[in-house]
Amino acid sequence: MKTNILGFPRIGENRELKKATENFWNGKINQDCLYKTAKEIKISNWIFLKNAGIDFIPSNDFSFYDQILDMCLTVGAIPERYNSLKCNILELYFAMAHGYQKNGIDLIAMEMTKWFDTNYHYIVPEFYINQKFSLFFNKPLNDFLEAKQNEIITKPVLIGPISFLLLGKVKGDSFNRINLIDDLLNVYFEIFKSLENHGCEYIQIDEPFLCTNLDDDIKELYLNVFKKIKQNTKLNIILTTYFDGLNENTELAYKLNTYAIHIDLVRAPQQLDLLLASISPNSILSLGIVDGRNIWKNDFNKSLNIIKKVKEKIGDNRIIISSSCSLLHVPINLDNEHNTNVLTHEIKRWLAFAKQKVEEIVTLNNLVGDNKNKISIEKLAKNNEDCENRKISKLIHNQDVINRVNNVSPKGYKRTSEYCQRAKIQKKELNLPLFPTTTIGSFPQTKDIREIRLKFKKNEISTEEYNILIKNEIRNVIEFQEQIGIDVLVHGEFERNDMVEYFGEQLDGFTFTQNGWVQSYGSRCVKPPIIYGDVSRSKPMTIDWIKYAQSLTKKYVKGMLTGPVTILQWTFVRNDQPREITCKQIALAIRDEVTDLEKAGIKIIQIDEPAIREGLPIRNEYKNEYLKWAVDCFKLASSSVKDKTQIHTHMCYSEFNDIIENIAKMDADVITIECSRSQMELLDAFGKFKYPNEIGPGVYDIHSPRVPSVDEIENLIFKASKVLDINKIWINPDCGLKTRGWSETELSLKNMVEATKKLRKKFDIK
């Protein structure tokens, strides 16, 4: 048997890549320094994997921003608007990622959306009719050679050509992007040939779309494409699937005639029987049995039973033991967690991060193969003890919480009146102008604000001092919003480290890490909380801050909460009960906070659900079940208020076409969504469906440092007015402003307000 991982975290154990990238963007280091940091991280990862005993070590899994953006650059899928930047690859690369506004050049970024059902974001390839591809930058070869120079032979990782096309979006004239396959394949063949010429033997081709419901024409395309690949390369292809099962595509996968097939047995354990039923004695299976998406320790006994079952069918020389997917989605090293006040010893013994998961893979291989020894037997015994400890721990279960979930009545999921009645009441109560302006919630988190929170956390300043400092920030941001003419204000969220972590810190059943960072996109890293037990709220979480902000102004200040589905999706969730049950527990905790906000006089409450689309299963047969309980959980959290209280929600970087009916069922009075990168294309779904409630289409991209002009924003609002009822349109950025600088935020918001004023005049509104 051999060992394998599909990819490894690339941010560095101390987020070295994040810091270097942001320093490069800010002009504090040059590109040579950035490349040096990248090289150090890659070499460190390769050496660790080699020494740990991984046979198939990945390369080309490293990225400065995103692996799909890397592939766009590799195959020359570069939109024409960036042509003037092609002389500087790094400048071009980051311009594609987050826009460019320099030297009189103003370029919008490429779109960004969620990577299947994860919280990782990828840059969406843009495809045009008659588009031609060429090998622009051979990163797969460069990384392979870099590893080889350090005496490490790797397995380059490439997104497969069909998945690459399916992940993209057609721009300009309508056509079937799959028609670009032949020209794209020629570039892949060129990459393969270059790798062969330099001693590469194995390559990982990711085709995650094989785990989705495929049309017959795509199935036929897979057969034709892999037949051509087989004819044009001698490389041993490890065909990689993840995030669900092959299911009805099992026979198709075998027919692709690759060296090995990788399957995700964590997300889809049921697929194994189907695979074994039709497997040939010569087939090689890469068994994804160590969870690449969650942080719970592998149950060795369960994994060993799976391995033995496959071994009995095909023998151990046809088995590869692997992570279920890339380890990109988990923190790097559990050994960096030293503070038992943050992560207790008992909970820590239940966990495994990326490096520990690599060790689990190697240990499983030793326990089944010829390398069984005293050390691996001792590790098995320790694993059994830790898994059993988690099952019987008193930390996990709270009967009061369980009873409350079981006793929710049907009324708990419904507002008192339908939206059409509520809207009339709210219009009279709030008396807002046409195109009311607001922001999504957070304002820039400056270095000074982060230092205030850090000093408070370290007990270097008192609670009284901390409260005074945060209130000063709130006062300043309220004054700024009033000054520029925002209609509905926010308090800025200066007390919050993260929109999920902040609430998790105040809820029972959560724990945290010091260094459990995971890449979300680009240099953006998050530190997801861990839900280990039943969830409940013991006291109010946001009331005092919102009440203070509201006391400073006669305008409305929104109460800002994170929704139950997003809290669920953006945490490492317990895997010992259905996710639906955990989500309902969170929903009831948020419901209590909503009720308290209304009692405190807050008339507009925003419950953010940017992750509701993200949680959608990638297979059609599982989607309705998920959407039913996800929508129910939002309604459970939001439905305790009176008709006059306006409920907002926010969603970003998602395609809504296939779930628009379910979004309507959430019954939020106002929904704000990301639309700027797509130039309002995402609104088409809302327009065609005739979405009944109010919508705030994001009018500028906060993930880009560029400042949109008044005319640009005005044009986007005008586009929205062609699709939506103008009396139901809100004006806002497409996401929170936490990661932006103050200067660009001030200019952008002023332009947003000015553009709104101009549109009001155009519609003859005084």
Side-chain angles (χ1 to χ4, degrees), residues 35 70 110 318 393 426 524 548 615 673 722 744:
Y35 282 128
D70 292 355
M110 295 171 70
R318 299 285 177 183
S393 175
Q426 291 166 15
R524 170 72 168 151
Y548 173 72
I673 58 173
K722 295 295 185 183
E744 68 203 56

Side-chain angles (χ1 to χ4, degrees), residues 74 95 98 131 214 255 302 357 391 467 488 518 532 553 570 621 664 685 725:
T74 298
H98 59 213
Q131 183 171 350
L214 299 175
K255 287 181 178 179
K302 287 184 179 179
K357 290 177 183 294
K391 290 177 184 176
N467 288 345
V488 175
V518 177
Y532 66 86
T553 179
W570 292 359
E621 54 266 36
D725 179 346

Side-chain angles (χ1 to χ4, degrees), residues 700-712:
Y700 81 86
D701 176 18
I702 68 89
H703 294 91
S704 171
R706 64 183 292 274
V707 175
S709 67
V710 172
D711 288 345
E712 178 182 333

Side-chain angles (χ1 to χ4, degrees), residues 24 101 117 166 180 281 345 379 393 407 466 491 590:
F24 173 72
Q101 200 169 44
D117 59 347
L166 293 176
L180 300 173
H345 174 72
K379 287 183 177 180
S393 175
N407 293 327
Y466 173 75
H491 78 294
I590 299 300

Side-chain angles (χ1 to χ4, degrees), residues 5 48 64 77 138 141 191 207 321 359 534 545 663 747:
I5 66 165
F48 164 73
F64 282 117
N138 199 341
L141 176 63
I191 296 169
E207 283 289 356
I321 301 175
E359 293 169 4
D534 291 325
W545 298 117
I663 292 173
L747 289 172

Side-chain angles (χ1 to χ4, degrees), residues 162 207 209-210 218-226 256:
I162 297 176
E207 283 289 356
F209 275 93
L210 281 169
I218 300 296
K219 292 180 181 179
E220 187 66 28
L221 184 70
Y222 267 108
L223 292 172
N224 293 334
V225 164
F226 276 82
L256 301 185

Side-chain angles (χ1 to χ4, degrees), residues 204-215:
Q204 175 182 314
I205 296 185
D206 289 3
E207 283 289 356
F209 275 93
L210 281 169
C211 289
T212 65
N213 307 91
L214 299 175
D215 296 334

Side-chain angles (χ1 to χ4, degrees), residues 264-280:
D264 185 340
L265 292 174
V266 175
R267 294 300 294 271
Q270 75 283 350
Q271 68 176 313
L272 183 60
D273 288 340
L274 188 59
L275 271 116
L276 292 180
S278 55
I279 198 170
S280 70

